[in-house]
């Protein structure tokens, strides 16, 4: 058991700890804000995360707290500092987040999305790869690709992603420099002329769902070209990236044949996007064992989760570990929960929760919910 003096010290520290920062812009956050919460504006939160990007459990908690507060953690600060000193004229740098389940990889991406927005990046964000490849799909949500033989389209998912892309970048897509580089022919009657605004291409994919997957592929090519021409700088974020290399999916054709991830057109588009053969871009990808649900080894290292094919595709990359809460972060989070009246009871309870949750952010949030 913990000594009485240690429990007393923890109680005194938790009472005195500051858990908020008034610096709400990630571009200005430094080590001075480490471990503190900042609040994201409601309108901006809706724009950035309205179609995905925050874990469902965290979204539910944010509604209860009537605010979206993100903790400034070291992995996000490290990547932000690296981006600031990087030469974007060189091939795109790929950062790979990894760590145990529930340590905050998705929240780190959410924080970095806010940074990218503040810095004027064009955002290309896939909230969770397994939503495309692991959900049980009805046959009517699938279609054989008319332009890429042997591949299948997920038109509804593609259209939903295009809406997400449009919402996140609505302030940039109106730029007169964002134009289509070549003509795209969709049918005998429908085509997108060279020089048309990029947002028209996006709108076409949303309105004409059967073309959505091909529009996503066109968007990937146009974004890479725009970045190479220095008409924009691009921030690519993909959560659960290793899902693209998991040999098992739940997608089946009408003949009950299982579809491999590489046989899905959305997969080929995002894999093309995450090559480092272009410039003026930054990529943040996460690997998560939840994206490999059939793997019970509990190994969270990228080399294991990406398999050989995925590791070779990303090599070289910069690995960034997202770890459990430090003592400071844990007490900051506990103070925030008390401020929101989410955590009540004697101060000694925090010491017990620290032990039972092992400072895992998700487990701590989960244990506090019914208290």
């Amino acid at each position: 058991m913990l000594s009485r003096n240690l429990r007393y010290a923890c109680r005194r520290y938790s009472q005195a700890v500051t858990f908020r920062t008034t610096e709400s812009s990630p571009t200005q956050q430094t080590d001075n804000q480490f471990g503190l919460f900042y609040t994201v504006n409601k309108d901006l939160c809706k724009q950035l995360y309205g179609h995905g990007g925050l874990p469902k459990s965290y979204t539910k908690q944010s509604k209860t707290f009537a605010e979206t507060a993100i903790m400034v953690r070291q992995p996000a600060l490290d990547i932000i500092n690296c981006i600031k000193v990087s030469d974007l004229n060189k091939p795109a740098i790929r950062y790979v987040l990894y760590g145990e389940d529930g340590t905050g990889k998705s929240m780190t991406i959410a924080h970095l999305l806010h940074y990218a927005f503040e810095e004027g990046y064009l955002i290309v964000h896939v909230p969770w790869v397994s939503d495309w490849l692991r959900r049980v799909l009805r046959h009517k949500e699938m279609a054989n690709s008319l332009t890429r033989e042997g591949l299948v389209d997920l038109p509804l998912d593609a259209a939903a992603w295009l809406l997400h892309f449009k919402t996140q970048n609505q302030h940039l897509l109106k730029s007169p420099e964002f134009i289509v580089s070549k003509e795209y022919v969709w049918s005998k009657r429908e085509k997108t002329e060279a020089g048309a605004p990029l947002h028209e291409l996006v709108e076409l994919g949303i309105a004409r769902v059967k073309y959505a997957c091909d529009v996503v592929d066109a968007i990937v090519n146009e974004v890479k070209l725009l970045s190479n021409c220095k008409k924009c700088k691009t921030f690519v974020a993909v959560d659960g990236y290793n899902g693209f290399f998991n040999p098992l999916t739940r997608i089946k054709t009408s003949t009950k044949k299982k579809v491999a991830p590489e046989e899905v057109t959305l997969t080929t588009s995002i894999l093309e996007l995450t090559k480092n053969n272009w410039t003026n871009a930054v990529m943040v990808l996460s690997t998560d064992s939840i994206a490999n649900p059939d793997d019970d080894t509990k190994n969270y290292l990228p080399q294991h989760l990406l398999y050989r094919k995925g590791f070779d595709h990303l090599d070289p990359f910069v690995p960034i570990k997202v770890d459990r809460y430090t003592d400071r972060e844990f007490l900051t989070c506990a103070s925030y929960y008390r401020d929101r009246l989410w955590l009540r009871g004697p101060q000694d309870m925090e010491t017990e929760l620290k032990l039972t949750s092992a400072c895992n952010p998700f487990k701590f949030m989960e244990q506090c919910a019914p208290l």
Side-chain angles (χ1 to χ4, degrees), residues 285-296:
L285 320 169
S286 78
T287 57
D288 201 311
S289 59
I290 299 175
N292 289 9
D294 300 302
D295 183 358
D296 57 359

Side-chain angles (χ1 to χ4, degrees), residues 98-295:
Y98 72 100
E100 299 175 16
D101 294 348
T103 51
K105 298 180 286 295
S106 296
M107 291 306 302
T108 299
I109 289 179
H111 188 180
L112 293 170
L113 285 173
H114 189 186
Y115 167 79
F117 177 86
E118 294 283 341
E119 282 290 290
Y121 281 82
L122 180 71
I123 296 173
V124 184
H125 175 220
V126 179
W128 186 242
V129 170
S130 292
D131 282 345
W132 291 346
L133 303 178
R134 295 291 302 177
R135 277 189 299 120
V136 179
L137 298 175
R138 291 172 293 180
H139 175 58
K140 69 177 184 179
E141 295 176 353
M142 289 177 42
N144 292 324
S145 175
L146 298 178
T147 56
R148 286 170 278 184
E149 186 177 353
L151 302 186
V152 299
D153 286 342
L154 303 176
L156 296 181
D157 287 319
W161 182 84
L162 287 169
L163 180 60
H164 181 50
F165 176 77
K166 172 189 171 183
T167 303
Q168 286 186 321
N169 299 289
Q170 56 188 263
H171 58 298
L172 291 177
L173 291 177
K174 299 175 183 178
S175 170
E177 292 190 326
F178 282 43
I179 58 175
V180 177
S181 63
K182 63 180 183 179
E183 180 183 81
Y184 292 93
V185 178
W186 311 108
S187 67
K188 293 181 179 180
R189 296 183 179 181
E190 295 175 289
K191 63 181 179 179
T192 300
E193 300 281 357
L198 185 65
H199 70 83
E200 286 189 9
L201 188 60
V202 178
E203 294 286 357
L204 172 72
I206 297 172
R208 303 284 285 144
V209 175
K210 70 176 182 178
Y211 302 136
C213 290
D214 288 332
V215 169
V216 170
D217 199 56
I219 291 293
V220 166
N221 294 328
E222 294 296 335
V223 165
K224 292 178 72 171
L225 184 60
L226 287 169
S227 290
N228 283 330
C229 295
K230 293 182 170 52
K231 293 183 179 180
C232 71
K233 50 184 181 178
T234 305
F235 183 86
V236 178
V238 184
D239 202 359
Y241 184 79
N242 55 298
F244 286 129
F245 304 97
N246 185 355
L248 300 175
T249 72
R250 292 179 181 168
I251 304 176
K252 295 181 181 180
T253 65
S254 58
T255 60
K256 305 299 181 182
K257 175 183 175 293
K258 283 193 174 182
V259 178
E262 61 270 18
E263 295 175 328
V264 179
T265 52
L266 286 174
T267 297
T268 61
S269 297
I270 302 302
L271 292 186
E272 176 62 31
L273 181 71
T274 51
K275 293 179 179 178
N276 68 337
N277 58 355
W278 53 304
T279 61
N280 224 26
V282 175
M283 303 182 204
V284 178
L285 320 169
S286 78
T287 57
D288 201 311
S289 59
I290 299 175
N292 289 9
D294 300 302
D295 183 358

